Amino acid sequence: MIPACTHIIDDDEAIRDALQWLFKTRGVACRAWPGGEAFVDAWQPGWRGCIVLDIRMAGMSGLECFDTLLARGCTLPVIFITGHGDVPMAVSALKKGAFHFIEKPFNDHDLVDLVEKALAADAEHQRAAASRETIEARLAPLTSREREVMNLILEGKYNKVIADELSISMRTVEAHRSRIFDKMEVRSAVELAQQLTILRD
Amino acid sequence: MSPLPPSTTLPPPGARNRWVQRLPFLSLALFLGAIAALVWLTREYDADEQRTTLLNDVLWMEQNLRFQLDRNEIHLQQLGAELFAGTSLSPQTEASLAHLLNPERGLVQILWLAPDGRLAGALPPRPAEAAGGNRAPTPATFELARSVGRPVYGPAYPATGNAHHFEVHVPLWSDESLLGVVVGVYSLSDLVVRELPWWFSERYRVAVLDADGREIAAKSKVAPLSPRLAYSMSFDPPGHGLTLQITAYKSETRWIPLLLGASIVLLGGIIVWSVVQLRRQLSRRQQAETALRTESAFRKAMEDSMRTGMRARDLDGRLTYVNSAFCRMTGFAAEELIGLKPPMPYWDPERLEQTFEVHREIMAGESTAEGTEVRLRRKNGEALDVLVFEAPLIDAHGRHAGWMGSVLDITEQKRAREQARQQEERLQQSSRLITMGEMASTLAHELNQPLAAITSYNSGCINRLQGDELDPAELLDIHQRIARQARRAGEIIRRVHDFVRRAEPRREVLDLNAVIRDAVGLIEADARKRRVSILADLAPALPPVAVDAVMIEQIVVNLVRNAIDSMRDTPASRRRVEIATAGDDRFVTVTVADRGSGIADEISARLFEPFFTTKPEGMGMGLNICRSIAELHHGRLGFAARPDGGTLFTLSLPVDLDSA
C-alpha cells in the first residue's frame, strides 16, 4: 500500500520550500508540486494523503485543479490556501466538498493541525471504503432468491411470514437464511443490517 | 403688437347668410318685373288711348262727311227750284252754282235733268255727253230717285283720269208733280281730300275702297302705315259697297316714355351688373376671409403647439405678448404678464442684478446669435434655465417697435448635462478606486508570498529549536532562505515606490490665478446647486510659479469641495467660500476659507492621515493627496481655524526664481 503523503501545490517556489521545511519539522511526509497541471498529470487513484492547494496560481488555478480532480474521482481531502480576495471562491469550493480553507497569512501550526486532521479523515475514509469493498465482495455470490430472502429478513419478518410470502416451505427459508449468514460472515440479523448500513453510506 | 383675441370666430357662411345673399337678386328680379309690367301697361294704355282717339276722329269725320253731303243735298234742292223755274239762269243762281262747285264741297259737276230724264243743263257743261244725248249719267239711280221721291246716291264709277265719281240724284217736286232731278257729281278723291281738315289728313290716311276691296281714292299715296291702328267703315251714303278705310299714320316716336323705358332698362342693367360685381367681390372677400380664418387657426395651432416660448416687448421693455409655451414654462398666465415692466415676476430673486444686466444687454441690441443663458424661476418657485434668443421686432410700417424673444427651456438639458458630468466623475472615481484596489490587492498578494514563506521557515525553526534537534548547518541554510525572502519583500516595496515616482508633476510656468479660475469653473455648478457662493479675490500680479496645472487645480477643487461640504449646516446667507491669492518674492499662497463647522481638535491631528475621513462616502485620500502634491511642488498645505467660525486652508508654493 502507498504511504499517505501531503501534496503541496503552489506556484511560488519559496512557499513550497518553506512549507516542506515546516512539515518536515513536524514529521509530516510531504511532496511539493509547482502547479496544478503537474499534479493532475501525476495523480493516481490509489494515492492517499491530502492536498494543500493555493488558489491563486499562474497557469491552472487552484479551483480548476480541484474541479479536475473531482471529475477524475479523486477523493483526497483538499485544504485551500487563499488570499483575502479569494475567500468567496474558497467557500464555494468548500461547498463542493473541499476539506477546509485557510486564509493567508496563516498560522503555521493551524495549517499543520489541519493537515493532520485531513490525513486522519482520509485514513478513516480509506478504512470505510475498504470495509465496503469487503461487504460488496460477500454480497456478490448471493443468488437472487437469497437476496430476496435477505431483504425480507432485513425488514424484520419472521421465517413463517417469509415462507408464506414467497410460497416456499419454512425449512427452505431456514436453509436460505443460514446460507446467507454464512456468506455474509455474520451471526445474526442485526449484524447483517449493520454491514448493509455501511454499504449504504 | 397686440395679442390676438382668444377666439376670433366669424359666423359660418350658413343658410341665413345665403338668403341674405340672394335677397338683392330676388328683389331686383321683382323690381325689373314690375318696371316691365308698368311699361307694358303704359303702352297698352297709350295704345288704347290712340285707338279711342282714332274712333272719335273717324266718327267725327264720318259725321262731317255726312253733314257735308246733307248740306249739299239741301243746296241742290234749293238750287233745283231756281234751275227748273226759268229757262235761263239768273246770275244769282249761277253764283250759287259756282259756289256749290267749290272743290271743298266735293262736287265737280251739277246736272239737272227733266222729269223724263233728259239733261236740262249742266255746269260745267259735259262736252262728250252733250253731243251724245241727254241721258242721265246713271239711269237706274235717276229712276230710283224719281220713284222714291227722295235723294238717292248712285254707285261709284270711274271717270276720266284715275278719278272715281259718284252721283246724288235729288228729285224736285212741286205739288205732287216732279219738276226734275238735280244731280250732283261728286269726285270721290276731292271729297276725301278737300273735305277733311288738314289735321285729320296729317294723322290719318283715308282711302275709299270699292265693293271688291280695290282702292279707288285715297287721301295720300304714302304707304307705310300702322296696320294696327286702322278702321274700316261702310261709306254710306253713297253706299253701294264703298268702304272708308282710315289708317293712322305711324305716329311720331314718343320719346319721353321711350327714354324713360330705356333709362329704366339701362339702370336695371347697371343694377344687375353692380349686384353681380358686388357678389363677385363678396365671394372674393369670403374666400379671403376663409383663407384668413384658416391661416389664423393654423397660426394659432402652431403657436399653441410650439415648445419654444415667445415673448414680445416694446422698446421700454414692457411685455406686449407671450405665447402659451412661455406661460407653461414660467407658470404665469398671459394676463398676469402682459403689460409688466422689468423686474419680471419670473426672474430669479437671488440673481436680480445679473438678470437685469442681461435685460439691459438685450435692450441695447447686444444679444448674440448663440443666445443668452438665463436662470429664471417658475411661479411655483422651481428653478428654470432658459436660452434666450432676441431679435428686433419690426412692425408693419417698418419701424423698430420692440424686441421678440424666443425662450428655450434648457433646465432638463442642463440637469442631464450636470448628471452626466457627475456620473462621469463618479465613474472616474470608481474606476480610479478599482484600479487602486486592484493595485493594492496585487501588492498585498505579492508581499504575502515572501512573508508567508518567512513565517513558515520561522515556524519550522521554532519547531526544531523546541524539539532539541539542533543542526546548525540546516538552520544556517534555512536562515539564508529567510533572508532571501525578506530581500524579495523589500524588492517588491522598492518596485512600488519606483512606480509611484514615475508620476512626477509636469511643471510649467503658469498664471496661478488662471488655474484657480479654471478650478472654480469646474465646481461652480455644484456650488450653485447647494446654494453656496464662491468669491474669488485674486491678486492682480502674482509672481510666476512652475506647477502642474492639473494637480494644483485638483487641490483647489478638493479644498473648495471640502469647504462646501463643511457648510452643510451653515445658514444659506453665510454659505460662502472665499478664495484669495497673494504673493511675495518667495511664496505664492492660495487660501480657501469657509464658514463651516470648523475642525475639532482630535480630528485636526489626523487630518492628513491616509484613509482618515469624516465623510460617510469619503475615501480619506483627498487631503492626503493634496498634501503630497503640495510637497511634490516643494510647497506646503496647512490649515487654521477662523476666529469667527470656519476653517482656512493655505497652499503655499515657492516662486519660480529661474523664470522670475
Side-chain angles (χ1 to χ4, degrees), chain A residues 134-152:
Chain A
T134 315
I135 294 160
E136 274 170 357
R138 287 173 187 164
L139 276 171
L142 259 62
T143 65
S144 59
R145 176 59 92 175
E146 281 165 355
R147 279 171 196 265
E148 236 175 319
V149 174
M150 186 179 74
N151 286 335
L152 292 167

Side-chain angles (χ1 to χ4, degrees), chain A residues 10 12 14-15 17-19 21-22 24-26 56 104-106 108-109, chain B residues 441 445 449 452-453 455-457 459-461 463-464 474 478 481 485 488:
Chain A
D10 198 317
D12 193 304
I15 296 280
D17 192 51
L19 284 180
W21 161 251
L22 175 68
K24 189 177 159 195
T25 62
R26 287 283 298 260
R56 192 186 286 198
K104 276 194 252 185
F106 45 82
D108 295 305
H109 294 299
Chain B
S441 163
H445 182 76
Q449 298 294 84
T455 41
S456 293
Y457 283 130
S459 299
C461 286
N463 286 344
R464 275 278 185 270
E474 195 188 33
I478 292 304
R481 292 186 201 179
Q485 289 309 308
R488 182 183 161 197

Side-chain angles (χ1 to χ4, degrees), chain B residues 363-395:
Chain B
M363 285 291 139
E366 288 166 18
S367 165
T368 55
E370 302 88 57
T372 315
E373 234 183 88
V374 187
R375 161 67 59 88
L376 302 176
R377 203 158 279 279
R378 293 182 217 268
K379 196 180 185 185
N380 61 9
E382 274 176 49
L384 171 71
D385 285 301
V386 294
L387 196 58
V388 181
F389 299 92
E390 207 78 18
L393 192 65
I394 308 297
D395 69 7

Side-chain angles (χ1 to χ4, degrees), chain B residues 254-297:
Chain B
R254 290 160 169 262
W255 282 109
I256 288 181
L258 199 69
L259 277 176
L260 211 65
S263 64
I264 284 171
V265 167
L266 187 70
L267 287 175
I270 289 173
I271 288 175
V272 168
W273 180 80
S274 65
V275 167
V276 165
Q277 286 299 315
L278 211 64
R279 196 193 150 88
R280 206 174 282 168
Q281 198 184 1
L282 198 70
S283 79
R284 267 205 300 273
R285 282 190 132 197
Q286 260 171 357
Q287 274 171 9
E289 196 179 84
T290 311
L292 199 69
R293 201 185 288 125
T294 314
E295 173 85 9
S296 164

Side-chain angles (χ1 to χ4, degrees), chain B residues 239-250:
Chain B
H240 301 282
L242 285 184
T243 315
L244 261 178
Q245 194 181 43
I246 299 95
T247 312
Y249 287 123
K250 196 166 185 165

Side-chain angles (χ1 to χ4, degrees), chain B residues 483-530:
Chain B
R484 208 155 51 229
Q485 289 309 308
R487 274 200 301 279
R488 182 183 161 197
E491 188 65 22
I492 290 165
I493 288 169
R494 198 183 56 74
R495 275 205 327 264
V496 171
H497 204 77
D498 280 353
F499 175 76
V500 174
R501 280 230 165 260
R502 258 182 272 153
E504 277 288 308
R506 280 201 311 231
R507 291 164 165 239
E508 292 170 86
V509 176
L510 287 173
D511 174 12
L512 197 61
N513 286 344
V515 177
I516 289 166
R517 272 194 289 273
D518 283 351
V520 170
L522 280 178
I523 203 165
E524 209 165 27
D526 203 23
R528 202 180 305 138
K529 205 162 57 195
R530 295 171 60 177

